[in-house]
Amino acid sequence: DVKVTQSSRYLVKRTGEKVFLECVQDMDHENMFWYRQDPGLGLRLIYFSYDVKMKEKGDIPEGYSVSREKKERFSLILESASTNQTSMYLCATLAGGTEQYFGPGTRLTVT
Amino acid sequence: EDKVVQSPLSLVVHEGDTVTLNCSYEVTNFRSLLWYKQEKKAPTFLFMLTSSGIEKKSGRLSSILDKKELFSILNITATQTGDSAIYLCAVEENTGNQFYFGTGTSLTVIP
């Protein structure tokens, strides 16, 4: 059974804190993605990775960085959290170029 | 256990054909169902459905939700090659704002 897991369902952080969002997959997929979803804006791509230690910026990378040291784990890092980063964060993997598997999401609130 | 199932997995049609994409779900605390079109990296939001029986329409695309039978359909009339994409269905749960995504339907429209 395919599985993409995210470390937290809910997270509350203070402005200026460093935040780590973890995503782990057990399907041996090369491609992994981080999105944020906001009302009225749909899914927006932050970063993606097509292999270990490889990363590419998506549409809205500012204020974020990523780490992919192992194939199964893709971390999203907010170096200094700000209130406009309050959002739902979704991790996904891609199989065979067509099937995308999403994690359950992490709702981050920055106060 | 699959929460959101899309069918068919892939579809090849000729320009001008009409297609119907299906999304069925099993989510206890339903909040909304969303349709996305994914051509490159990030899915593009199409529709959000919350009420049964009310058709949402945008140009040649339309969608409707049946909360009793737990499914939604996405119709595309007079298909064009630019409609070729993966169409994703997602269901948002009321408790915890968790999202469940289907794996998508890959649509190819040939001239």
Side-chain angles (χ1 to χ4, degrees):
Chain A
D1 196 24
V2 285
K3 212 161 199 173
V4 181
T5 56
Q6 294 182 227
S7 49
S8 308
R9 286 266 301 272
Y10 299 96
L11 216 48
V12 180
K13 296 290 181 182
R14 293 192 183 277
T15 303
E17 277 193 80
K18 191 168 185 174
V19 182
F20 291 87
L21 302 183
E22 302 283 341
C23 175
V24 179
Q25 52 116 344
D26 63 0
M27 296 165 284
D28 204 37
H29 292 164
E30 271 88 21
N31 300 292
M32 296 185 75
F33 305 79
W34 273 107
Y35 298 95
R36 62 178 281 178
Q37 175 152 305
D38 301 289
L41 294 172
L43 281 173
R44 291 183 292 167
L45 182 66
I46 305 171
Y47 266 96
F48 69 100
S49 168
Y50 51 87
D51 205 348
V52 175
K53 295 193 186 293
M54 308 298 275
K55 60 188 179 187
E56 284 209 22
K57 292 179 181 179
D59 300 317
I60 50 161
E62 296 78 21
Y64 303 94
S65 62
V66 289
S67 171
R68 185 124 181 246
E69 296 297 317
K70 292 184 179 181
K71 195 175 188 181
E72 66 269 20
R73 189 180 296 267
F74 191 35
S75 304
L76 181 69
I77 304 152
L78 286 68
E79 295 291 340
S80 177
S82 62
T83 53
N84 64 10
Q85 292 178 309
T86 291
S87 186
M88 169 68 83
Y89 289 87
L90 289 151
C91 173
T93 74
L94 189 67
T98 58
E99 289 178 39
Q100 187 149 135
Y101 297 88
F102 283 82
T106 296
R107 183 161 289 283
L108 172 68
T109 303
V110 182
T111 59
Chain B
E1 187 184 331
D2 289 329
K3 294 272 189 180
V4 177
V5 179
Q6 291 185 245
S7 62
L9 286 181
S10 65
L11 196 53
V12 180
V13 300
H14 286 96
E15 264 190 321
D17 287 352
T18 293
V19 296
T20 299
L21 310 184
N22 304 290
C23 176
S24 63
Y25 62 92
E26 275 188 45
V27 175
T28 311
N29 297 296
F30 175 90
R31 185 180 215 174
S32 65
L33 185 143
L34 303 97
W35 281 99
Y36 290 88
K37 176 183 181 183
Q38 179 153 16
E39 291 173 276
K40 293 175 183 174
K41 299 174 215 157
T44 306
F45 173 78
L46 295 175
F47 299 109
M48 184 172 80
L49 303 154
T50 54
S51 303
S52 266
I54 299 173
E55 187 185 51
K56 293 229 172 168
K57 205 168 165 62
S58 175
R60 295 176 294 102
L61 277 67
S62 63
S63 184
I64 199 159
L65 174 68
D66 186 329
K67 285 165 80 173
K68 186 180 173 188
E69 299 297 329
L70 308 182
F71 77 92
S72 173
I73 59 171
L74 175 69
N75 276 322
I76 309 174
T77 59
T79 51
Q80 302 170 357
T81 53
D83 295 327
S84 296
I86 298 165
Y87 290 84
L88 285 164
C89 170
V91 172
E92 185 184 12
E93 198 174 42
N94 216 7
T95 55
N97 298 126
Q98 184 153 334
F99 286 88
Y100 299 96
F101 280 79
T103 54
T105 292
S106 175
L107 174 66
T108 304
V109 181
I110 52 179

